[in-house]
Amino acid sequence: MSGMSSGVCMDTDLSSMLQRSSAPSHHHPNHHGYGPQGQMSSLAPMLDYSEMDRYRSSIANFYKTNVNMNMNNFPQAKLAARLAATPIFPPRLGAMATGPWGCHDNMNPAAMFWGRPKPNHHHGHPGHMASAHVPSAAMPQNASGNGNSQSGRADKSPLPGSQTHHHMAPGNGNFLPNYSGADCLNKQGHAHSDMMGLSDGSGCNGGGVMGGSFLGSLGIPPGVIVMAMGSAGGGISSEASSAFQMTGGQRALTDCQQHTNSSPCPSSSSPSSGVTTGGGATSAGGGASSAAAKRKRKRCGVCGPCRRLINCGVCSSCRNRKTGHQICKFRKCEELKKKPGTGGSLERPPSVPAGEAFRWFF
DNA sequence: CTTAACGTCACC
DNA sequence: GGTGACGTTAAG
Protein backbone atom coordinates (compact mmCIF):
# COMPACT_ATOMS: atom_id res chain seq x y z
CA MET A 1 0.00 0.00 0.00
CA SER A 2 2.93 2.23 0.25
CA GLY A 3 2.61 3.15 -3.31
CA MET A 4 -0.87 4.24 -2.78
CA SER A 5 -0.26 7.08 -0.54
CA SER A 6 3.02 8.19 -1.79
CA GLY A 7 3.69 10.22 -4.79
CA VAL A 8 0.17 10.61 -5.72
CA CYS A 9 -0.31 14.14 -4.81
CA MET A 10 -0.93 15.88 -7.99
CA ASP A 11 0.56 19.21 -8.48
CA THR A 12 -0.27 19.55 -12.05
CA ASP A 13 -2.13 22.23 -13.74
CA LEU A 14 -5.12 20.11 -13.47
CA SER A 15 -4.92 19.69 -9.82
CA SER A 16 -4.31 23.27 -9.18
CA MET A 17 -7.12 24.11 -11.41
CA LEU A 18 -9.29 21.75 -9.60
CA GLN A 19 -8.28 22.97 -6.31
CA ARG A 20 -9.03 26.41 -7.29
CA SER A 21 -12.24 25.84 -8.98
CA SER A 22 -13.62 22.63 -7.76
CA ALA A 23 -15.67 22.76 -4.76
CA PRO A 24 -14.51 20.33 -2.23
CA SER A 25 -17.45 18.25 -1.61
CA HIS A 26 -16.94 17.49 1.89
CA HIS A 27 -18.28 14.06 1.86
CA HIS A 28 -21.37 14.69 3.75
CA PRO A 29 -24.11 14.29 1.31
CA ASN A 30 -26.61 15.88 3.49
CA HIS A 31 -24.72 19.03 3.43
CA HIS A 32 -25.69 19.38 -0.09
CA GLY A 33 -29.27 18.89 0.49
CA TYR A 34 -29.34 15.37 -0.71
CA GLY A 35 -31.91 13.37 0.93
CA PRO A 36 -31.04 10.01 2.13
CA GLN A 37 -32.49 8.64 -1.00
CA GLY A 38 -30.42 10.70 -3.26
CA GLN A 39 -33.04 13.26 -3.83
CA MET A 40 -31.50 16.55 -4.22
CA SER A 41 -33.85 18.80 -2.62
CA SER A 42 -31.90 21.86 -3.31
CA LEU A 43 -29.14 21.03 -5.58
CA ALA A 44 -30.17 23.04 -8.54
CA PRO A 45 -29.50 26.33 -6.96
CA MET A 46 -26.13 25.09 -5.99
CA LEU A 47 -24.98 24.13 -9.40
CA ASP A 48 -23.47 26.68 -11.58
CA TYR A 49 -23.52 25.16 -14.97
CA SER A 50 -21.59 27.84 -16.60
CA GLU A 51 -18.83 26.94 -14.26
CA MET A 52 -19.27 23.34 -15.05
CA ASP A 53 -18.93 24.06 -18.68
CA ARG A 54 -15.81 25.89 -18.02
CA TYR A 55 -14.36 22.99 -16.18
CA ARG A 56 -15.46 20.64 -18.78
CA SER A 57 -13.57 22.51 -21.36
CA SER A 58 -10.55 22.58 -19.23
CA ILE A 59 -10.65 18.93 -18.64
CA ALA A 60 -11.23 18.09 -22.20
CA ASN A 61 -8.31 20.18 -23.08
CA PHE A 62 -6.27 18.67 -20.37
CA TYR A 63 -6.79 15.22 -21.62
CA LYS A 64 -6.22 16.17 -25.14
CA THR A 65 -2.90 17.53 -24.24
CA ASN A 66 -1.43 16.50 -21.00
CA VAL A 67 -2.65 13.01 -20.96
CA ASN A 68 -0.91 12.26 -24.14
CA MET A 69 2.17 11.52 -22.24
CA ASN A 70 0.47 8.60 -20.73
CA MET A 71 -1.52 7.47 -23.63
CA ASN A 72 0.70 4.60 -24.28
CA ASN A 73 0.69 3.33 -20.82
CA PHE A 74 -2.90 3.99 -20.19
CA PRO A 75 -5.21 3.43 -23.02
CA GLN A 76 -7.88 4.60 -20.77
CA ALA A 77 -6.43 7.99 -21.04
CA LYS A 78 -7.30 8.02 -24.64
CA LEU A 79 -10.78 7.30 -23.80
CA ALA A 80 -10.73 9.82 -21.11
CA ALA A 81 -9.66 12.39 -23.56
CA ARG A 82 -12.31 11.32 -25.86
CA LEU A 83 -14.94 11.23 -23.28
CA ALA A 84 -13.90 14.48 -21.94
CA ALA A 85 -14.93 15.80 -25.22
CA THR A 86 -17.73 13.46 -25.94
CA PRO A 87 -20.95 13.61 -24.09
CA ILE A 88 -21.98 10.07 -23.89
CA PHE A 89 -24.06 10.89 -20.97
CA PRO A 90 -26.78 13.32 -20.68
CA PRO A 91 -25.82 16.85 -20.27
CA ARG A 92 -25.39 17.69 -16.72
CA LEU A 93 -25.67 14.16 -15.87
CA GLY A 94 -23.09 14.80 -13.37
CA ALA A 95 -19.73 13.93 -14.38
CA MET A 96 -17.07 12.08 -12.77
CA ALA A 97 -13.60 12.74 -11.98
CA THR A 98 -12.88 10.53 -9.15
CA GLY A 99 -9.85 8.48 -9.42
CA PRO A 100 -9.93 4.77 -9.27
CA TRP A 101 -9.68 5.10 -5.63
CA GLY A 102 -13.02 6.56 -5.56
CA CYS A 103 -11.47 9.27 -3.61
CA HIS A 104 -8.70 11.66 -3.82
CA ASP A 105 -5.06 11.69 -4.47
CA ASN A 106 -4.53 9.81 -7.55
CA MET A 107 -2.45 11.78 -9.80
CA ASN A 108 -2.20 9.55 -12.69
CA PRO A 109 -4.27 11.24 -15.28
CA ALA A 110 -5.29 7.98 -16.68
CA ALA A 111 -6.19 6.69 -13.34
CA MET A 112 -8.24 9.51 -12.19
CA PHE A 113 -10.35 10.57 -14.99
CA TRP A 114 -13.75 9.72 -13.83
CA GLY A 115 -15.22 11.50 -11.06
CA ARG A 116 -17.85 13.15 -9.22
CA PRO A 117 -19.81 16.09 -10.15
CA LYS A 118 -18.63 19.25 -8.86
CA PRO A 119 -20.57 20.44 -5.99
CA ASN A 120 -20.54 24.04 -6.50
CA HIS A 121 -20.05 25.57 -3.23
CA HIS A 122 -16.71 27.16 -3.21
CA HIS A 123 -16.09 26.78 0.35
CA GLY A 124 -15.53 23.80 2.43
CA HIS A 125 -12.48 21.75 2.88
CA PRO A 126 -10.09 23.05 0.41
CA GLY A 127 -7.33 20.74 1.10
CA HIS A 128 -9.27 17.66 1.35
CA MET A 129 -10.08 15.68 -1.67
CA ALA A 130 -9.74 18.71 -3.69
CA SER A 131 -7.11 17.27 -5.87
CA ALA A 132 -9.34 14.64 -7.28
CA HIS A 133 -12.17 16.87 -7.91
CA VAL A 134 -12.08 16.88 -11.54
CA PRO A 135 -15.24 18.64 -12.16
CA SER A 136 -18.01 17.37 -14.18
CA ALA A 137 -16.05 18.35 -17.13
CA ALA A 138 -15.36 14.78 -17.89
CA MET A 139 -18.81 14.60 -19.27
CA PRO A 140 -19.10 17.63 -21.34
CA GLN A 141 -22.24 18.85 -22.71
CA ASN A 142 -20.59 20.17 -25.73
CA ALA A 143 -17.00 20.67 -24.92
CA SER A 144 -17.27 23.98 -26.47
CA GLY A 145 -13.94 25.33 -25.61
CA ASN A 146 -11.83 22.91 -27.48
CA GLY A 147 -13.05 23.01 -30.92
CA ASN A 148 -14.04 19.58 -30.25
CA SER A 149 -15.46 17.87 -33.18
CA GLN A 150 -17.98 16.01 -31.18
CA SER A 151 -19.27 18.91 -29.37
CA GLY A 152 -22.74 18.44 -30.59
CA ARG A 153 -23.17 15.02 -29.29
CA ALA A 154 -25.04 16.09 -26.31
CA ASP A 155 -28.06 16.17 -28.44
CA LYS A 156 -27.85 12.51 -28.94
CA SER A 157 -27.89 11.81 -25.38
CA PRO A 158 -30.63 9.45 -24.48
CA LEU A 159 -31.33 11.34 -21.39
CA PRO A 160 -31.53 14.89 -22.42
CA GLY A 161 -30.51 17.29 -19.86
CA SER A 162 -33.18 16.29 -17.62
CA GLN A 163 -33.02 17.68 -14.22
CA THR A 164 -33.87 14.33 -12.99
CA HIS A 165 -30.62 12.90 -14.13
CA HIS A 166 -27.98 15.36 -13.62
CA HIS A 167 -27.61 15.03 -9.98
CA MET A 168 -26.35 11.62 -9.57
CA ALA A 169 -23.44 12.16 -7.42
CA PRO A 170 -23.72 13.74 -4.16
CA GLY A 171 -20.68 14.87 -2.45
CA ASN A 172 -18.05 12.28 -2.58
CA GLY A 173 -18.88 10.82 -5.86
CA ASN A 174 -19.49 7.35 -4.80
CA PHE A 175 -23.07 8.14 -4.84
CA LEU A 176 -25.38 5.45 -5.99
CA PRO A 177 -27.89 7.57 -4.45
CA ASN A 178 -30.96 5.54 -4.49
CA TYR A 179 -29.80 2.26 -3.48
CA SER A 180 -26.74 2.76 -1.48
CA GLY A 181 -27.89 5.33 0.88
CA ALA A 182 -26.11 7.62 3.14
CA ASP A 183 -24.59 4.79 4.95
CA CYS A 184 -22.70 3.84 1.95
CA LEU A 185 -21.72 7.30 1.16
CA ASN A 186 -20.29 7.85 4.47
CA LYS A 187 -18.47 4.65 4.41
CA GLN A 188 -16.78 5.16 1.17
CA GLY A 189 -16.44 8.77 1.16
CA HIS A 190 -15.04 10.55 3.98
CA ALA A 191 -13.47 7.73 5.76
CA HIS A 192 -11.66 6.61 2.67
CA SER A 193 -12.44 3.22 3.87
CA ASP A 194 -12.85 2.01 0.40
CA MET A 195 -10.21 3.82 -1.30
CA MET A 196 -9.59 0.94 -3.57
CA GLY A 197 -13.15 0.31 -4.06
CA LEU A 198 -12.81 -3.38 -3.99
CA SER A 199 -15.62 -5.71 -3.73
CA ASP A 200 -15.56 -5.57 -0.05
CA GLY A 201 -17.80 -2.70 -0.47
CA SER A 202 -20.08 -4.83 1.57
CA GLY A 203 -22.91 -2.65 2.50
CA CYS A 204 -22.33 -0.51 -0.42
CA ASN A 205 -22.91 -3.22 -2.84
CA GLY A 206 -19.67 -2.76 -4.58
CA GLY A 207 -20.43 0.79 -5.12
CA GLY A 208 -16.94 1.59 -4.31
CA VAL A 209 -15.76 0.13 -7.44
CA MET A 210 -18.01 1.79 -9.78
CA GLY A 211 -18.19 4.63 -7.52
CA GLY A 212 -14.88 5.69 -8.76
CA SER A 213 -16.02 5.31 -12.25
CA PHE A 214 -18.49 7.02 -14.37
CA LEU A 215 -20.94 4.24 -14.09
CA GLY A 216 -21.19 4.77 -10.48
CA SER A 217 -22.10 8.29 -11.00
CA LEU A 218 -25.09 7.21 -12.88
CA GLY A 219 -26.50 6.08 -9.70
CA ILE A 220 -27.20 2.77 -11.20
CA PRO A 221 -26.09 -0.40 -9.61
CA PRO A 222 -23.05 -1.80 -11.24
CA GLY A 223 -24.65 -4.99 -12.24
CA VAL A 224 -27.24 -3.10 -14.10
CA ILE A 225 -25.02 -0.98 -16.10
CA VAL A 226 -24.15 -3.59 -18.57
CA MET A 227 -27.68 -4.38 -19.29
CA ALA A 228 -28.68 -0.82 -19.38
CA MET A 229 -25.99 0.09 -21.75
CA GLY A 230 -26.70 -2.69 -24.08
CA SER A 231 -30.38 -2.62 -23.92
CA ALA A 232 -30.69 1.04 -24.13
CA GLY A 233 -31.23 0.70 -27.79
CA GLY A 234 -31.50 4.31 -28.29
CA GLY A 235 -29.27 5.01 -25.53
CA ILE A 236 -25.81 5.36 -24.48
CA SER A 237 -24.71 2.29 -26.16
CA SER A 238 -22.54 3.47 -28.94
CA GLU A 239 -20.45 5.86 -27.05
CA ALA A 240 -20.82 4.03 -23.90
CA SER A 241 -19.44 0.98 -25.44
CA SER A 242 -16.29 2.82 -25.91
CA ALA A 243 -16.32 3.73 -22.36
CA PHE A 244 -16.62 0.19 -21.39
CA GLN A 245 -13.69 -0.75 -23.43
CA MET A 246 -11.45 1.55 -21.68
CA THR A 247 -9.74 -1.33 -20.11
CA GLY A 248 -7.98 -1.85 -23.32
CA GLY A 249 -10.70 -3.44 -25.27
CA GLN A 250 -10.23 -6.50 -23.26
CA ARG A 251 -12.62 -8.64 -21.52
CA ALA A 252 -13.64 -7.40 -18.20
CA LEU A 253 -16.74 -5.48 -18.76
CA THR A 254 -16.74 -5.73 -22.40
CA ASP A 255 -17.39 -9.33 -21.97
CA CYS A 256 -20.65 -8.53 -20.50
CA GLN A 257 -21.43 -5.72 -22.67
CA GLN A 258 -21.00 -7.57 -25.83
CA HIS A 259 -23.95 -9.69 -25.08
CA THR A 260 -26.50 -7.13 -24.90
CA ASN A 261 -29.18 -9.21 -26.37
CA SER A 262 -28.83 -12.06 -24.08
CA SER A 263 -28.80 -12.23 -20.40
CA PRO A 264 -27.06 -9.65 -18.39
CA CYS A 265 -23.51 -10.10 -17.63
CA PRO A 266 -23.43 -11.66 -14.24
CA SER A 267 -25.31 -14.75 -15.07
CA SER A 268 -24.71 -14.72 -18.71
CA SER A 269 -24.19 -18.03 -20.29
CA SER A 270 -23.45 -16.47 -23.56
CA PRO A 271 -21.22 -18.69 -25.58
CA SER A 272 -18.39 -16.35 -26.08
CA SER A 273 -18.80 -14.59 -22.87
CA GLY A 274 -16.13 -16.21 -20.87
CA VAL A 275 -17.76 -14.73 -17.88
CA THR A 276 -18.69 -18.14 -16.87
CA THR A 277 -17.17 -18.16 -13.53
CA GLY A 278 -15.38 -21.32 -12.96
CA GLY A 279 -16.91 -22.74 -16.02
CA GLY A 280 -13.96 -23.27 -18.27
CA ALA A 281 -15.84 -22.17 -21.24
CA THR A 282 -12.79 -20.62 -22.53
CA SER A 283 -10.97 -23.09 -24.61
CA ALA A 284 -11.81 -22.47 -28.16
CA GLY A 285 -12.18 -26.05 -29.03
CA GLY A 286 -14.63 -26.45 -26.28
CA GLY A 287 -12.67 -29.35 -25.03
CA ALA A 288 -14.78 -29.25 -21.94
CA SER A 289 -12.37 -31.52 -20.25
CA SER A 290 -11.86 -30.74 -16.64
CA ALA A 291 -8.28 -30.03 -17.40
CA ALA A 292 -9.26 -27.54 -19.98
CA ALA A 293 -11.80 -26.16 -17.65
CA LYS A 294 -9.25 -25.13 -15.15
CA ARG A 295 -6.78 -24.33 -17.75
CA LYS A 296 -7.51 -20.72 -17.68
CA ARG A 297 -10.25 -19.14 -15.77
CA LYS A 298 -11.75 -15.89 -16.64
CA ARG A 299 -12.88 -12.99 -14.67
CA CYS A 300 -16.25 -13.25 -13.15
CA GLY A 301 -17.12 -9.84 -14.37
CA VAL A 302 -19.28 -9.00 -11.44
CA CYS A 303 -17.03 -8.69 -8.49
CA GLY A 304 -15.76 -5.38 -7.41
CA PRO A 305 -12.39 -5.59 -9.04
CA CYS A 306 -13.91 -6.83 -12.22
CA ARG A 307 -16.21 -3.92 -12.31
CA ARG A 308 -13.40 -1.58 -11.91
CA LEU A 309 -12.74 -0.08 -15.23
CA ILE A 310 -9.45 1.52 -14.88
CA ASN A 311 -6.04 0.49 -13.82
CA CYS A 312 -4.70 2.16 -10.81
CA GLY A 313 -1.48 2.89 -12.53
CA VAL A 314 0.49 2.64 -9.40
CA CYS A 315 0.36 -0.93 -8.28
CA SER A 316 3.14 -3.26 -9.13
CA SER A 317 1.13 -4.90 -11.80
CA CYS A 318 0.48 -1.65 -13.48
CA ARG A 319 3.98 -0.47 -13.10
CA ASN A 320 5.45 -3.69 -14.32
CA ARG A 321 2.92 -4.42 -16.90
CA LYS A 322 5.41 -5.45 -19.44
CA THR A 323 7.23 -7.86 -17.29
CA GLY A 324 4.56 -8.75 -14.88
CA HIS A 325 1.90 -9.59 -17.37
CA GLN A 326 -0.59 -9.04 -14.68
CA ILE A 327 -3.76 -7.16 -14.45
CA CYS A 328 -3.90 -4.27 -12.10
CA LYS A 329 -4.09 -5.56 -8.60
CA PHE A 330 -7.20 -3.68 -7.96
CA ARG A 331 -8.85 -5.13 -10.94
CA LYS A 332 -7.91 -8.64 -10.22
CA CYS A 333 -11.01 -10.69 -10.10
CA GLU A 334 -11.94 -11.89 -6.70
CA GLU A 335 -12.74 -15.24 -8.12
CA LEU A 336 -9.40 -15.59 -9.71
CA LYS A 337 -7.74 -14.74 -6.50
CA LYS A 338 -9.13 -17.85 -5.04
CA LYS A 339 -7.57 -21.15 -5.57
CA PRO A 340 -9.11 -22.81 -8.55
CA GLY A 341 -9.95 -25.83 -6.54
CA THR A 342 -11.44 -24.16 -3.57
CA GLY A 343 -15.09 -24.72 -3.89
CA GLY A 344 -15.40 -21.07 -4.44
CA SER A 345 -18.18 -21.57 -6.85
CA LEU A 346 -19.35 -18.18 -6.00
CA GLU A 347 -21.23 -17.07 -9.01
CA ARG A 348 -21.22 -13.53 -7.93
CA PRO A 349 -20.11 -11.60 -4.99
CA PRO A 350 -22.56 -11.36 -2.19
CA SER A 351 -23.02 -7.82 -3.05
CA VAL A 352 -24.51 -8.66 -6.35
CA PRO A 353 -27.40 -10.95 -5.84
CA ALA A 354 -28.66 -12.77 -8.80
CA GLY A 355 -31.76 -10.99 -9.74
CA GLU A 356 -31.16 -7.85 -7.93
CA ALA A 357 -29.72 -6.00 -10.79
CA PHE A 358 -32.96 -5.95 -12.59
CA ARG A 359 -34.84 -4.98 -9.59
CA TRP A 360 -32.52 -2.12 -9.05
CA PHE A 361 -32.89 -0.92 -12.47
CA PHE A 362 -36.58 -1.12 -12.67
C1' DC B 1 2.35 -16.21 2.96
C1' DT B 2 2.97 -12.56 -0.32
C1' DT B 3 4.92 -10.74 -4.27
C1' DA B 4 7.16 -10.53 -8.65
C1' DA B 5 8.57 -12.69 -12.80
C1' DC B 6 7.94 -15.80 -16.39
C1' DG B 7 5.36 -18.87 -19.56
C1' DT B 8 1.49 -19.28 -21.93
C1' DC B 9 -2.95 -18.39 -23.74
C1' DA B 10 -6.60 -15.44 -25.79
C1' DC B 11 -7.98 -11.73 -28.37
C1' DC B 12 -7.27 -8.02 -31.62
C1' DG C 1 2.74 -9.60 -33.87
C1' DG C 2 1.12 -6.82 -30.00
C1' DT C 3 -1.20 -6.61 -25.89
C1' DG C 4 -3.69 -8.08 -21.91
C1' DA C 5 -4.39 -11.47 -18.66
C1' DC C 6 -4.24 -16.14 -16.06
C1' DG C 7 -1.35 -19.88 -14.10
C1' DT C 8 2.71 -21.27 -12.18
C1' DT C 9 6.74 -20.84 -9.64
C1' DA C 10 10.62 -18.86 -7.39
C1' DA C 11 12.16 -15.36 -4.26
C1' DG C 12 11.50 -12.56 -0.22
Side-chain angles (χ1 to χ4, degrees), chain A residues 32-33 68 124 129 156 248 253 260 266 303 328 362:
Chain A
H32 302 268
N68 283 340
M129 298 193 60
K156 297 182 179 179
L253 278 167
T260 57
C303 68
C328 171
F362 296 109

Side-chain angles (χ1 to χ4, degrees), chain A residues 246-265:
Chain A
M246 75 171 101
T247 61
Q250 293 300 309
R251 303 162 190 104
L253 278 167
T254 50
D255 275 355
C256 313
Q257 187 193 11
Q258 289 166 358
H259 313 294
T260 57
N261 292 332
S262 57
S263 53
C265 171

Side-chain angles (χ1 to χ4, degrees), chain A residues 23 25 34 47 52 93-97 115-119 134-136 166-171 173 175 217:
Chain A
S25 69
Y34 298 87
L47 292 176
M52 294 171 69
L93 178 58
M96 330 75 185
R116 60 190 67 112
K118 179 188 71 65
V134 178
S136 50
H166 76 269
H167 55 265
M168 308 308 239
F175 40 83
S217 69

Side-chain angles (χ1 to χ4, degrees), chain A residues 38 41-42 109 128 297 313 321 323 345 353 357:
Chain A
S41 56
S42 61
H128 194 129
R297 297 175 298 163
R321 182 160 300 283
T323 58
S345 60

Side-chain angles (χ1 to χ4, degrees), chain A residues 57-79:
Chain A
S57 296
S58 300
I59 293 300
N61 192 46
F62 173 84
Y63 282 120
K64 292 182 67 174
T65 57
N66 299 18
V67 174
N68 283 340
M69 63 186 175
N70 270 334
M71 284 298 191
N72 292 333
N73 293 334
F74 301 101
Q76 300 92 331
K78 299 176 185 176
L79 196 87

